[in-house]
Amino acid sequence: MTEFNLNPIKLTQALVKCQSITPKDDGALLVVQDHLSSMGFDCSPLLFSGNGSYEVKNLFATIGSDGPHLAFAGHTDVVPPGNESSWKHPPFSAIIEDDKLYGRGTEDMKSNIACFISATEQFLKKNGENFGGKISFIITGDEEGEAINGTPQIMEWIKKQNIKIDHCLVGEPTSNAKIGDKVKIGRRGSVNFFLTVKGVQGHTANGHRAQNPVHCLTKLISKILEKPLDEGNEFFLPTAVQIPTFDVGNPAHNVIPEYAFATINIRFNDLHTPESLIQWLNEKIESIFKNMENVTCKVKHEISARSFLNKPGNLSKIVAKSISQATGRNEEPELATDGGTSDARFIKNYCEVIELGIRNQTLHQVDEFVFLDDLNELTKIYYIILENYFSKS
Ligand SMILES: [Zn+2]
């Protein structure tokens, strides 16, 4: 079985031709909805607005009856193409050249949606509508932007309808060298700290009448970098602390400045929370500045994402088995937690969630592309996941 009735390549092309740069939709969700409707899905277009963000189109579609409920989650929005003249082919033309399909959103993540639709069509054709469970699609038009009126609102809406999802597959590009060699079961969190140290300005020849904030801030940073926060664990890399900015902005070599500034970015694993890191930093500041006179250190923070981990469960077993059946490879997929953030962070509070998709290689770049063969391979994996998930044995 390598030929799919509903061709995932053609379907990816149809999606890529919609210029759905967040939060514009340009017909992308309708392409998904039309295909799902024709397969018998009950489709609910969901428009969410307010909550301090712009209006976003979303789609929830479901088919089936009692039994386990598997959802597929993804986004139809894409990041801007940047300078279009740098592209080999216009970014929304979905041109195939040799063994590749080019275009913004081919990898992240329209092809993954296309493969899942194609796999589902094949599955329903073989098993009919009474396959012993439910399949749903959770598709948002805003994952790349503020992501406020997207997946978090769909998940709330689903809960209000008393719909219970058991497992969810997110179609972000996770594969590395081969399709299915890597899946994601969690993500690191990210927090930024902005430090402002105020000292006493003066002549560099009269250091005793001044208080140099640069000296104080470097002491603090040395303290922060002195020891790693942890060594990582079974599923996560060690927490990483970086100082991306250090600024004084002093043009004069004979003036002790009044202020010094620095930023700290921490990518943290599930051994920490933003709150525990805020406390950790405050203790460091206290230990350095408590005995200093006329110097203050102020800190502001910004929480970008919390870390999360889905302990590998049933879905992870089914996914691993299906990948090896589809590809004929014996090695288990890597269960990773690296990379940036995704909408899985909003779904993990409701059910076990795993990210599995096309190879991660050109997303957000100029000349983003996918290999045509990979689309067929991924569709095959998704199809076997559906067969294994709903098999009665
Ligand atoms: Zn994405």
Side-chain angles (χ1 to χ4, degrees), residues 75 77 107-109 112 143-144 171-173 341-342 363-364:
H75 61 92
D77 64 319
E107 175 181 325
D108 184 14
M109 59 159 281
N112 303 277
E143 190 265 357
E144 302 285 6
E172 287 290 340
T341 181
S342 91
L363 74 168
H364 297 206

Side-chain angles (χ1 to χ4, degrees), residues 38-57:
S38 73
M39 289 153 59
F41 272 80
D42 183 6
C43 294
S44 308
L46 303 168
L47 188 67
F48 295 118
S49 59
N51 309 305
S53 188
Y54 43 80
E55 185 176 85
V56 176
K57 286 183 175 168

Side-chain angles (χ1 to χ4, degrees), residues 84-155:
E84 297 200 17
S85 61
S86 305
W87 285 66
K88 197 170 167 181
H89 305 291
F92 298 101
S93 58
I95 280 177
I96 293 177
E97 188 182 76
D98 301 324
D99 53 349
K100 295 173 191 153
L101 166 58
Y102 288 89
R104 173 57 81 230
T106 46
E107 175 181 325
D108 184 14
M109 59 159 281
K110 288 173 168 174
S111 64
N112 303 277
I113 296 176
C115 293
F116 205 83
I117 293 175
S118 177
T120 304
E121 203 258 1
Q122 188 89 6
F123 175 79
L124 292 175
K125 214 168 76 187
K126 182 163 172 262
N127 297 286
E129 276 193 32
N130 296 317
F131 52 86
K134 265 186 201 291
I135 302 171
S136 294
F137 281 74
I138 298 166
I139 309 291
T140 179
D142 178 17
E143 190 265 357
E144 302 285 6
E146 292 178 5
I148 290 172
N149 287 315
T151 303
Q153 303 299 329
I154 312 178
M155 296 313 292

Side-chain angles (χ1 to χ4, degrees), residues 226-343:
E226 196 173 45
K227 248 186 11 220
L229 268 154
D230 59 68
E231 290 172 347
N233 57 24
E234 191 186 355
F235 294 109
F236 280 95
L237 290 169
T239 294
V241 181
Q242 287 294 333
I243 312 295
T245 73
F246 189 109
D247 305 289
V248 182
N250 178 15
H253 58 78
N254 57 357
V255 175
I256 292 169
E258 188 178 13
Y259 286 100
F261 310 92
T263 313
I264 309 168
N265 175 249
I266 305 181
R267 301 286 165 146
F268 57 95
N269 56 34
D270 65 340
L271 298 169
H272 308 274
T273 61
E275 291 72 25
S276 71
L277 291 168
I278 291 166
Q279 198 192 335
W280 169 83
L281 181 62
N282 281 334
E283 282 164 14
K284 302 280 176 207
I285 293 172
E286 168 75 12
S287 73
I288 295 290
F289 287 87
K290 67 172 185 244
N291 295 324
M292 286 188 184
E293 271 175 40
N294 304 320
V295 191
T296 56
C297 177
K298 288 205 170 124
V299 59
K300 283 190 184 151
H301 65 263
E302 175 189 84
I303 301 165
S304 304
R306 291 170 182 273
S307 64
F308 74 90
L309 173 73
N310 255 293
K311 283 258 157 54
N314 259 347
L315 182 62
S316 127
K317 280 190 206 115
I318 289 171
V319 165
K321 178 174 137 188
S322 306
I323 291 170
S324 89
Q325 283 172 350
T327 62
R329 294 196 308 263
N330 270 329
E331 71 267 28
E332 295 269 314
E334 180 193 343
L335 304 175
T337 54
D338 59 346
T341 181
S342 91
D343 273 0

